[in-house]
Amino acid sequence: MAEKQRILIVDDDESIAELISLYLTKECYETMMVGDGEEALKAVKEFNPDLILLDLMLPGIDGYQVCREVRQKQDIPIIMLSAKGEVFDKVLGLELGADDYMIKPFDSKELVARVKAVLRRYAGKKNSAAATEKGDHVEYKDLSVNLTNYSVKFKGAQVDMPPKELELLYFLASSPNQVFTREQLLDNIWGYEYLGDTRTVDVHVKRLREKLPGNDEWIIATVWGIGYKFEVLK
């Protein structure tokens, strides 16, 4: 079973938490809901979320303290949710380490877009760090992808490839065995403001497979109902 990105929803209003969970589940995220700060800190350890949606006005430990304690130990993206719209509250939240701040009530589509944008930034930071270590270059048996000079070699021969195909290949190959939804691939390669549809990803993957049939050590695999991954077989 493919591993989905996990989002922890921390809100003492159960109806709001359930609504947020519904929208995120439709976007292929796995969610967990808790209603207070103490449970949130436990869930961070047990659920190991990729992102936290954190209400500020919580019973017991408030959202500010939760954010402070999470930031002391882990680098997990946090989007704060609050009915407080004053500049002071926003600045305090961001200074404590929040990545974004949304004022209630908010539009569900905007929330989903911000979740994707924050996750994309974090993925970008990780990929940039990995790329720095690798020199913007990934290599497997029969395959070499160089993002610095936009070149691809398969079985020693140069492969002509448009920029978006190469960027898609590099993105997948830089995170072997990690599953990405079509929407995540659109966000990362084309930008989340791109107006096309997910079939764009399918077409590019089809072209990549035609040019790179794979071998006994890796393939560009379809994860049915979710998306794609660069699967390392050995």
Side-chain angles (χ1 to χ4, degrees):
M1 184 69 183
E3 185 177 349
K4 299 179 181 180
Q5 288 183 294
R6 296 176 296 277
I7 299 179
L8 177 62
I9 303 166
V10 186
D11 200 312
D12 61 337
D13 188 326
E14 190 174 340
S15 61
I16 290 178
E18 288 179 349
L19 187 61
I20 293 173
S21 179
L22 176 64
Y23 283 113
L24 292 174
T25 300
K26 287 182 178 179
E27 295 292 326
C28 293
Y29 296 108
E30 180 182 348
T31 64
M32 179 178 182
M33 298 176 288
V34 297
D36 62 65
E38 187 175 347
E39 287 297 316
L41 292 174
K42 290 180 182 178
V44 168
K45 296 178 181 178
E46 297 169 3
F47 186 56
N48 191 26
D50 296 290
L51 181 143
I52 302 171
L53 291 172
L54 179 61
D55 184 34
L56 291 182
M57 304 304 290
L58 297 169
I61 304 173
D62 66 17
Y64 290 120
Q65 183 62 29
V66 171
C67 181
R68 186 181 292 111
E69 292 195 26
V70 170
R71 276 286 167 265
Q72 288 174 351
K73 299 175 182 177
Q74 292 172 271
D75 187 23
I76 302 173
I78 297 172
I79 299 178
M80 286 186 169
L81 310 175
S82 178
K84 293 183 176 182
E86 289 80 3
V87 172
F88 171 80
D89 297 299
K90 292 182 182 178
V91 171
L92 178 58
L94 295 172
E95 285 183 344
L96 286 173
D99 297 273
D100 205 346
Y101 188 108
M102 292 193 70
I103 301 170
K104 296 180 178 180
F106 44 76
D107 181 79
S108 58
K109 291 182 179 179
E110 182 183 358
L111 175 65
V112 170
R114 291 201 187 199
V115 165
K116 290 181 177 181
V118 170
L119 285 171
R120 186 173 66 252
R121 287 200 298 271
Y122 266 71
K125 287 199 302 184
K126 291 179 181 177
N127 287 339
S128 293
T132 299
E133 293 177 4
K134 299 173 185 176
D136 289 335
H137 177 266
V138 292
E139 194 161 339
Y140 296 90
K141 179 183 177 183
D142 297 333
L143 177 66
S144 173
V145 186
N146 192 320
L147 199 62
T148 302
N149 59 12
Y150 272 70
S151 66
V152 177
K153 289 185 178 180
F154 182 64
K155 295 185 176 180
Q158 195 78 27
V159 179
D160 291 330
M161 198 170 284
K164 290 302 179 190
E165 279 183 31
L166 189 147
E167 289 167 14
L168 176 59
L169 174 63
Y170 180 82
F171 183 81
L172 289 169
S174 296
S175 301
N177 297 320
Q178 182 173 341
V179 179
F180 295 97
T181 66
R182 291 169 176 82
E183 290 80 8
Q184 287 171 328
L185 293 172
L186 276 176
D187 288 349
N188 281 279
I189 308 304
W190 285 266
Y192 100 88
E193 296 176 348
Y194 177 71
L195 299 177
D197 60 36
T198 56
R199 287 176 294 182
T200 298
V201 176
D202 296 335
V203 170
H204 279 71
V205 168
K206 181 175 181 291
R207 290 173 180 166
L208 284 174
R209 285 172 171 163
E210 289 171 350
K211 296 175 181 179
L212 309 169
N215 57 28
D216 59 350
E217 292 193 8
W218 57 265
I219 58 170
I220 300 172
T222 299
V223 181
W224 297 108
I226 299 179
Y228 298 99
K229 66 177 177 177
F230 188 93
E231 184 173 1
V232 177
L233 305 172
K234 293 183 179 180

